Amino acid sequence: MGAAGTKLVFIDNPAEGMTVGKDYVATVTSDRAIIGARTAEAMAAALHEKGKVGYIFHDANFPVTNQRDAAFLWNLKTRFPGIEVVAKAGMADPARIEDIANAMLTQHPEINGIYVPWTEPALGVLSVLRQMGRQDVRIVSIDLNEPAALDMAKGGSVSALIADDAYGIGTAAARAAALSLLDQKVDPLLVVGAGIVSKDNLVDGWRASLHADPPQSVLDALK
Amino acid sequence: MTPSLPTRAALQGLIVYAGFALIFLFFSAMLWDRGFLSAQNLTNIILQTAPATVLAVGLVFVLAAGEIDLSFGAAVALAAIVAAMVMRTQGWPVGVLAGLATGMAVGLVNGAIVAYARLPSFLVTLATMGVIAGAAREMSGLQSIPVTAEPFIALFGGGSLLGIPSLVLWTIGVVVVGHLAFRETRYGAHVLAVGDNPRAALVSGIRVARVRLSVLVLSGACAGLAGLLYAGRLQAARYTLGESDLMTVIAAVIVGGTALNGGRGTIPGALVGSLMMGMLSNGLILMGLSVSWQMMIKGLIILIAVAVSLREPNR
């Protein structure tokens, strides 16, 4: 493909067996180590650096989530000794998340914070917390979505969502492709940052990540 | 029909209860100190299986009539999304109607093609599954749509009446109504007759095409209701809802004692089959097994259960 003059830029993961500089120009991704660190910091803030955490990880071979999950755990353990991870559970199918969260909270009622690898399953954890009436448990997860942001805006169980610079990924990919077409040298790995979005900076955080305003329901809930 | 069939059906009906009891006892012994037997956990199993049980009731009618519906999982997502989107502007009662109507419309299209164009339901619903799933993705833009109407959430999600969670009430209601319609009405008898021998049913004056149409509409209606239950429980609708229910529900219904090729069905069996599937997921997670092991063990147990319940005598 590279030989045919088509410029290829990957987002998140390059295809296996392809060589950078020959088959493709660059990989653009969010910084997984930073995301893990921010997520751990958000959890520590939510629990005031003291508590028991349930850790739900993505049980599949997918570098983006695997590295984020690992970075969260490592940051939490090394930087926040007051927080203990008391339960770990793998998740392959987000549709099964409620079963996992139910089991975790049944066996470890002392949990007061849960890490969920991304927001779609976080909604399932939220549903379980509501069913159990566990308003004391905080959720920290990754990526923005409307129902999770809405819960956060209303002061619910979701304490923070970590959002990468999604818009920046697109910009960097476009720039890399353009530079490559002009025969300029392009860095083979382009990494964008991420930040903590909580109730206090929801509007700004949403804009920073997606270059768009939060959905109307979220704006209404913040009023 | 041979005269001995009722007793055999009764025996076959008992298998699912035995399997359920066996799995229950196994998990009780293994996990007695790890929360399996807590009232909260057992309630959770019923709450988690509520949408699947509703879907299973619809599927019993479809299978008993000798047809299959592969599109109900996708219809769940579409119904939930339509309900959530309509609710935003038109209020929750209109949203509920829109969700149910969406499920029934899917069933009507499936049913019309199957009943009047005489195409096999397996292929028709396989194709419409793709169309519906695509529509759900397109309509929602792959985003989760929040559901905020409190009365709706109470009615279809987290509410309760006299201390009984609304999801449990829906499950009981649908199972009881479904069971009575299936066993005590002429319609139920017609469904079984069409599934057992369509030609004989036609000769005896049963409107076979209409029965085929109706079972698929019924399955669509159940998918609509299941979509509302998901939307109420999660307080959100998403295109992935119902996706993983297809295999679970088919397995639950078959394990429960409904014949894959028509003419025999049981709704209490489907209920127990559905609870058994939920209990299996719950128990394997409580045991702390990895996802891979959960999948293998669950698959094997389903295989054994299906093998036992499908060993039909001289059909």
Side-chain angles (χ1 to χ4, degrees):
Chain A
M1 209 177 282
T6 306
K7 302 298 183 189
L8 198 55
V9 179
F10 284 108
I11 289 178
D12 281 342
N13 302 312
E16 234 168 281
M18 285 189 142
T19 311
V20 70
K22 198 171 92 199
D23 302 313
Y24 68 98
V25 177
T27 304
V28 188
T29 184
S30 51
D31 191 323
R32 297 136 196 195
I34 288 292
I35 291 179
R38 295 286 168 272
T39 316
E41 287 158 16
M43 181 64 86
L47 303 183
H48 308 290
E49 304 209 7
K50 195 170 156 49
K52 306 217 184 293
V53 164
Y55 164 77
I56 300 173
F57 60 95
H58 189 204
D59 196 354
N61 178 18
F62 192 68
V64 175
T65 47
N66 299 157
Q67 291 174 18
R68 292 191 323 208
D69 292 347
F72 165 77
L73 204 55
W74 185 72
N75 273 273
L76 202 66
K77 278 183 176 164
T78 39
R79 295 168 60 195
F80 305 104
I83 296 176
E84 188 190 350
V85 176
V86 291
K88 295 181 183 182
M91 174 202 73
D93 177 6
R96 297 260 70 90
I97 186 70
E98 287 170 271
D99 291 334
I100 296 167
N102 270 322
M104 198 173 245
L105 288 160
T106 302
Q107 289 178 331
H108 297 279
E110 74 275 20
I111 283 175
N112 52 9
I114 297 184
Y115 165 85
V116 198
W118 69 96
T119 35
E120 183 196 348
L123 298 180
V125 176
L126 195 52
S127 156
V128 168
L129 293 179
R130 286 173 184 144
Q131 276 170 31
M132 292 185 167
R134 290 292 306 267
Q135 281 146 342
D136 57 315
V137 182
R138 316 308 311 161
I139 296 175
V140 174
S141 188
I142 299 163
D143 291 345
L144 298 172
N145 88 1
E146 188 178 349
L150 190 57
D151 178 78
M152 196 154 73
K154 288 177 174 171
S157 307
V158 178
S159 278
L161 300 171
I162 311 311
D164 61 13
D165 180 6
Y167 194 87
I169 291 180
T171 318
R175 187 171 294 145
L179 283 173
S180 158
L181 284 171
L182 299 169
D183 284 327
Q184 305 278 320
K185 192 171 167 4
V186 179
D187 198 332
L189 180 64
L190 300 157
V191 175
V192 306
I196 299 173
V197 179
S198 59
K199 189 182 176 184
D200 302 332
N201 69 340
L202 223 172
V203 176
D204 290 339
W206 194 289
R207 285 185 186 141
S209 171
L210 302 171
H211 281 224
D213 282 331
Q216 195 58 44
S217 67
V218 175
L219 293 173
D220 291 344
L222 283 170
K223 274 177 195 159
Chain B
M1 274 191 206
T2 55
S4 61
L5 202 60
T7 50
R8 277 177 184 157
L11 256 177
Q12 221 128 30
L14 290 178
I15 289 170
V16 68
Y17 299 100
F20 181 87
L22 212 64
I23 295 175
F24 183 81
L25 288 175
F26 174 75
F27 283 138
S28 301
M30 294 289 293
L31 298 165
W32 63 274
D33 59 344
R34 279 192 277 170
F36 177 72
L37 286 171
S38 70
Q40 187 188 49
N41 188 53
L42 297 177
T43 312
N44 277 335
I45 295 177
I46 305 176
L47 294 180
Q48 287 309 312
T49 49
T53 304
V54 169
L55 293 168
V57 169
L59 191 65
V60 168
F61 281 88
V62 177
L63 291 183
E67 304 295 337
I68 180 97
D69 186 355
L70 299 178
S71 68
F72 62 77
V76 166
L78 187 64
I81 286 167
V82 168
M85 290 178 83
V86 170
M87 222 177 287
R88 284 191 137 168
T89 53
Q90 309 295 316
W92 69 269
V94 185
V96 168
L97 293 177
L100 289 175
T102 303
M104 290 173 78
V106 167
L108 197 65
V109 171
N110 285 334
I113 300 173
V114 168
Y116 298 107
R118 283 313 293 138
L119 292 172
S121 50
F122 183 88
L123 295 174
V124 170
T125 58
L126 189 63
T128 53
M129 170 173 75
V131 175
I132 302 158
R137 295 169 69 97
E138 183 64 30
M139 274 187 77
S140 65
L142 305 184
Q143 298 297 313
S144 300
I145 302 158
V147 169
T148 52
E150 292 298 338
F152 175 84
I153 293 164
L155 192 57
F156 294 96
S160 61
L161 186 70
L162 304 171
I164 307 169
S166 47
L167 287 168
V168 176
L169 292 173
W170 279 109
T171 306
I172 295 172
V174 169
V175 167
V176 168
V177 171
H179 179 62
L180 291 178
F182 192 66
R183 293 302 290 268
E184 306 295 337
T185 66
R186 192 135 56 110
Y187 172 69
H190 285 183
V191 168
L192 281 168
V194 169
D196 194 49
N197 188 338
R199 209 158 293 173
L202 196 63
V203 172
S204 59
I206 295 172
R207 294 179 175 179
V208 173
R210 193 177 284 189
V211 168
R212 286 181 174 138
L213 172 75
S214 70
V215 292
L216 284 159
V217 172
L218 200 62
S219 177
C222 287
L225 178 56
L228 297 177
L229 296 179
Y230 271 123
R233 198 174 76 194
L234 285 169
Q235 301 188 15
R238 192 174 167 84
Y239 68 97
T240 49
L241 293 179
E243 210 172 51
S244 68
D245 283 334
L246 182 61
M247 284 310 145
T248 313
V249 172
I250 291 177
V253 170
I254 302 294
V255 167
T258 294
L260 195 49
N261 47 0
R264 183 160 57 82
T266 147
I267 284 169
L271 167 68
V272 176
S274 173
L275 290 173
M276 190 169 117
M277 291 295 155
M279 190 168 67
L280 210 49
S281 281
N282 178 270
L284 293 175
I285 292 173
L286 282 176
M287 286 177 78
L289 296 175
S290 73
V291 175
S292 315
W293 277 103
Q294 289 174 35
M295 289 165 83
M296 285 190 277
I297 294 175
K298 204 171 161 184
L300 279 174
I301 292 178
I302 292 172
L303 185 65
I304 294 167
V306 168
V308 174
S309 69
L310 274 192
R311 279 183 63 88
E312 294 180 59
N314 53 42
R315 251 192 89 86

